[in-house]
Amino acid sequence: MTIGSPLSATLDTTPHRLLTGPGAALTWLLLFFPLWWVLGLGGLIFYLAAIPMAVSLVRRRHIEVPPMFGFWLAFCLVVLVSMSALNLDPANTVAENWWGRVPGAVYRAAGYLCVTVITLYAVNLTEREYPRRLLVNLLAWTAVVTVAGGLLGTYWGHLEFTSPVEALLPPGVAADGFVKSLVHPQAAQVMDFLGYEAPDLPRRGATPTRGGTSWRSPRVGSWWPRSVSRSGGVGDSVRWHCW
């Protein structure tokens, strides 16, 4: 089926449709990311959003994959294999029980799984279900949010506060270091190993290199227009790249 002006004229891009219709999970995830961060869900929202997306993919009869998807799967396999080294203590590092490393490793591995689900979900949305222009605009908004987060961490690196999610947790749970890194919003991770305090930017504070709630680039796939789709699927008309 060729996409032309008649089809474009029938696209429903009203706010109600975009927040409740096909692809709504993607809109809620990217458009309201600053809100999720303030609520204490900045490190968890991608995991939560991947659940309805996975259900939607399971219900589809056929799932399209982006170009060179096999390389991404190979990378994920390497990540899983590397978890076998959790019990090793490299030289000149602090020794730790390998059980203490499991939660963080599982969290990161699950993050790669969520990236995969979110990417496949976006790729399999048709032009009628989710206009490409909307997807590009949301990714542009994500870039703006990322830059704003970088500036916030650079000039107000000490900004942090108790999130609503953190306040609802039992004190013992909220005090756990790993849990705190997920639900406690902070503008940047301030480091002092050089002898003075400085925001940990851009090495970590502005990049999705670890779990946490420092304002950073959302861990999600990104796509760029490549050609006009002949089948009506977004997957045929965009190029996939994962940050």
Side-chain angles (χ1 to χ4, degrees), residues 80-199:
L80 292 178
V81 173
S82 68
M83 294 178 67
S84 62
L86 290 177
N87 62 326
L88 301 180
D89 293 313
N92 301 320
T93 62
V94 178
E96 182 183 7
N97 189 305
W98 75 277
W99 280 106
R101 300 167 177 167
V102 170
V106 172
Y107 173 79
R108 288 168 177 76
Y112 289 121
L113 176 61
C114 291
V115 167
T116 305
V117 171
I118 294 172
T119 299
L120 292 177
Y121 177 80
V123 166
N124 282 272
L125 290 171
T126 65
E127 175 70 10
R128 182 185 297 275
E129 292 174 327
Y130 207 79
R132 290 189 298 275
R133 180 179 295 275
L134 173 62
L135 180 59
V136 172
N137 288 341
L138 283 176
L139 292 174
W141 163 248
T142 301
V144 171
V145 169
T146 301
V147 173
L151 293 175
L152 180 67
T154 300
Y155 296 102
W156 295 280
H158 290 279
L159 174 65
E160 60 179 295
F161 54 90
T162 300
S163 70
V165 172
E166 184 180 5
L168 292 174
L169 294 175
V173 176
D176 180 80
F178 178 69
V179 175
K180 191 177 183 67
S181 71
L182 297 179
V183 300
H184 184 76
Q186 54 186 133
Q189 295 168 324
V190 180
M191 302 296 176
D192 58 1
F193 67 92
L194 294 178
Y196 57 89
E197 291 187 347

Side-chain angles (χ1 to χ4, degrees), residues 22-59:
L26 199 58
T27 303
W28 283 96
L29 172 64
L30 298 180
L31 183 62
F32 298 104
F33 180 77
L35 174 62
W36 307 135
W37 181 76
V38 170
L39 292 177
L41 294 173
L44 297 173
I45 189 61
F46 295 96
Y47 298 80
L48 299 176
I51 296 175
M53 294 182 185
V55 173
S56 176
L57 287 172
V58 170
R59 292 177 177 175

